[in-house]
Structures are given as structure tokens and as C-alpha cells.
Amino acid sequence: LGDGTELAFLSQLLFVNKPSGWSTLPTKQQLDNPACPTYPCLSDSVIEWLKTDPKGKERLRQAQLDEQHWWNNHVLETEPRNSMQRRELKKKIRKHEKQLEKMATFEPRPAHRLDIDTSGIVCIALTPTALRNANMLFEKKSRSGVEKELDMEDVCVEKRYAALVEGSVDKDSSAGVISHAIGKVWVDDHNEWACDLHDDASFAFIRHNGSSDTTTLFVPDSLR
């Protein structure tokens, strides 16, 4: 890209459809206690597929070969013509050596997250370089969204969400605008984000879990 941001090869990225009710990464409770019942985890399932399924193994192997091919043909074989280029080449060689060290222990992981209740496409990086480049693209998108109104010619990652609502929404009104404070509520064995319905930190609405009670208290000091 014109600003120096590098793009990962598509062969080094895996795009997976995450179902609603799945976590993108292991939850804190699962990390603390692997035996703890929790949501199915997308990243764990993808890693298992890459390690055990013949198609998954070949997909990962090709991604690693493509990364090495890129280093060999576009970076390491560059012939330096002056002292500045020699210094740059040494930097690239050191960078490549670090990437090789990472590759030995690297586990593919998502470049971004979706909430547990959200279904949709998750971009998973299969190599260290792909993860770094994909993270930069998602970060660039986030920075652009904060600093100015998005100009899609300058943004490489565009996220779009479709919301399921009950009834109809009047596009000409303020319907759909969240004006309440948001805070954490403890549900079963994990935290979830919810709105302060009464603006007094008393109750938050949570999804129906089979009981008649659909409200719960906020985690202390979590409102924002």
C-alpha cells in the first residue's frame, strides 16, 4: 500500500464463518480451568482442523511455504548496491530470523474478534507475518474510524453488521440509537456487556436463558 502497510497473501489467511454462541478465542474461565463448561471456541476448532484433517494440514503447509517463498524471492535475494541497502538487508535478515523462530511455535489465530452472540466471518492468520500484517490492517481501520469519517478508498478492511430486531425500525427517527450507559454483567460463568436500563446502575437486560428472570445486576464499577 502507499503508506507502507504490507498485505498478507490470501493463502496465508483463512476466512471462517463463526456461528452465534461460539467464542472467537478461549474465554478467561476456560484458560483458568480447561475443564470448566464454556462456549465452543472457534480458534480451538480451527487449530484442531489444521493439525488433524488432511485438508487442514495441506492448507497450513502451503501457507508456510508461501511465506518462505516471499522472504526468499522478494527480500533475501535483493542485491544491495550501497551501504544503506546493505544495512537494510541486514535488518531484513534479522527480521526473517525472528520470523523463523516464531514459526516454530506459532499457532494460527484470529486477527480480530466477534462477540459470542455475533455470527459472521472471522479472518484467521496462518503465519506470523500474515498475523502482523492483518492486525495492522484492522488497526488502521479502527484508527480511521476514530479520527475521521471513513473514506473507503483509504480503508482496506470494512466491517458490516446486520442486526436482527423485533418489529420495524423507523429510519427517520432516533430508533436504534443506544443512549444508555454500558457495563458488565455476570452471566453463568463469564462477563457480558449490557445496557443500564434505568440509568441508575440497578438493572441490565440479558438474553433469555430459559428462566423468567431476564435482568441481572451489574458488575461493580464496570459501567462506562
Side-chain angles (χ1 to χ4, degrees):
L1 299 180
D3 64 355
T5 304
E6 297 174 355
L7 293 174
F9 287 112
L10 286 178
S11 66
Q12 296 171 316
L13 300 174
L14 189 64
F15 297 91
V16 182
N17 185 24
K18 185 188 85 65
S20 176
W22 284 54
S23 64
T24 305
L25 293 167
T27 63
K28 181 179 184 299
Q29 289 72 30
Q30 185 181 14
L31 293 174
D32 292 342
N33 179 15
C36 176
T38 184
Y39 295 97
C41 177
L42 182 74
S43 60
D44 285 350
S45 297
V46 169
I47 290 173
E48 182 179 1
W49 178 75
L50 291 169
K51 289 183 176 180
T52 61
D53 190 277
K55 291 183 179 179
K57 290 180 179 179
E58 176 59 26
R59 187 73 170 79
L60 182 59
R61 187 187 72 86
Q62 188 60 54
Q64 294 169 342
L65 288 176
D66 287 347
E67 171 153 327
Q68 187 58 48
H69 175 79
W70 181 81
W71 281 101
N72 290 339
N73 291 276
H74 298 277
V75 178
L76 301 181
E77 289 189 359
T78 303
E79 185 66 31
R81 299 183 178 180
N82 52 53
S83 58
M84 182 178 294
Q85 291 181 354
R86 283 192 290 272
R87 286 195 298 270
E88 287 299 317
L89 180 58
K90 288 181 180 179
K91 290 181 181 179
K92 291 178 180 178
I93 291 174
R94 287 196 296 270
K95 186 176 179 181
H96 178 231
E97 291 172 347
K98 291 181 179 179
Q99 292 300 102
L100 288 177
E101 293 177 2
K102 291 180 180 179
M103 185 73 79
T105 58
F106 179 80
E107 280 198 335
R109 61 180 290 120
H112 62 106
R113 301 185 188 191
L114 292 180
D115 291 341
I116 288 176
D117 289 333
T118 304
S119 63
I121 302 300
V122 174
C123 174
I124 296 180
L126 302 180
T127 67
T129 301
L131 180 62
R132 178 177 61 85
N133 293 345
N135 281 342
M136 290 177 65
L137 293 177
F138 278 96
E139 181 183 353
K140 177 184 177 184
K141 181 263 179 187
S142 300
R143 288 204 312 268
S144 299
V146 171
E147 294 172 357
K148 63 178 182 179
E149 186 175 341
L150 290 179
D151 181 354
M152 298 319 299
E153 293 184 356
D154 298 330
V155 176
C156 295
V157 176
E158 178 185 359
K159 289 184 180 179
R160 293 189 179 186
Y161 292 85
L164 298 178
V165 299
E166 182 178 354
S168 59
V169 177
D170 184 357
K171 295 182 179 180
D172 297 327
S173 71
S174 60
V177 176
I178 299 175
S179 57
H180 299 289
I182 297 176
K184 291 181 181 179
V185 293
W186 182 257
V187 181
D188 297 330
D189 61 352
H190 66 284
N191 284 321
E192 293 189 7
W193 292 103
C195 289
D196 179 6
L197 295 182
H198 303 295
D199 295 322
D200 60 3
S202 59
F203 288 105
F205 177 81
I206 60 172
R207 14 176 216 171
H208 190 60
N209 61 1
S211 67
S212 59
D213 184 16
T214 57
T215 61
T216 187
L217 297 176
F218 284 94
V219 175
D221 303 319
S222 68
L223 283 169
R224 67 183 188 188

